[in-house]
Amino acid sequence: MSAMREVPVDVVDEMDRMEARVAFLSDVFLAISERPENDVALSRRGLEGLFYWTQDLEDMLRRLNEMIHSE
């Protein structure tokens, strides 16, 4: 049986959403890296938002693992 047949459709759909969120973060950090050296890249509030964003991604990944291993 192929790996795709073993993975629930809900997991595959959620993986696409998760990949989009990670790609967005990648684009943000690319834009930040292009700023002048003395320019503050992220505010304190922005860093806090990044913390919550990464927590959300971790929660999504945990849920995906639970969905895969629940069978």
Side-chain angles (χ1 to χ4, degrees):
M1 191 181 284
S2 75
M4 288 302 291
R5 290 185 189 152
E6 294 176 15
V7 178
V9 174
D10 294 343
V11 172
V12 175
D13 290 344
E14 195 65 23
M15 290 283 294
D16 187 52
R17 292 181 194 104
M18 187 172 199
E19 183 181 4
R21 286 174 172 87
V22 171
F24 172 75
L25 281 179
S26 176
D27 291 348
V28 166
F29 282 110
L30 178 63
I32 289 171
S33 72
E34 296 296 322
R35 295 177 78 162
E37 190 172 319
N38 294 332
D39 192 4
V40 177
L42 286 175
S43 65
R44 179 174 169 79
R45 191 72 172 156
L47 287 171
E48 184 179 349
L50 174 61
F51 169 75
Y52 292 126
W53 188 273
T54 54
Q55 276 191 329
D56 291 344
L57 287 173
E58 183 181 5
D59 290 342
M60 289 176 71
L61 185 58
R62 187 176 300 113
R63 276 196 322 272
L64 287 175
N65 280 324
E66 288 171 359
M67 290 169 69
I68 291 170
H69 294 86
S70 68
E71 297 176 356

